[in-house]
Amino acid sequence: MVGVRIDRLVAVLLLLQRREQVTAAEVARELEVSERTARRDLDALAMAGVPVYSMQGRGG
């Protein structure tokens, strides 16, 4: 299970490198996970020191 999450976090990093902005919904769609999982992954990256910033509202 841990290996799956690490793979997913790396996939999120690669997605963020390709695109300047991405929504949690887009991450979820791209990685075929729920939005909640995408948000948790983005939070985990932010806590690890990756400069991930979130915005509330439409498109955030």
Side-chain angles (χ1 to χ4, degrees):
M1 275 310 226
V2 172
V4 172
R5 181 152 194 229
I6 292 170
D7 290 345
R8 204 172 57 239
L9 292 175
V10 170
V12 172
L13 282 173
L14 293 173
L15 179 63
L16 290 171
Q17 285 182 333
R18 287 195 320 258
R19 296 169 56 188
E20 188 174 315
Q21 284 188 331
V22 65
T23 65
E26 291 168 335
V27 171
R29 202 171 23 258
E30 180 82 19
L31 301 180
E32 299 179 349
V33 296
S34 69
E35 263 190 70
R36 183 177 176 145
T37 296
R39 289 179 195 280
R40 276 196 303 259
D41 288 349
L42 290 164
D43 286 343
L45 289 174
M47 289 178 61
V50 175
V52 176
Y53 305 99
S54 64
M55 298 178 351
Q56 297 293 331
R58 194 165 204 242

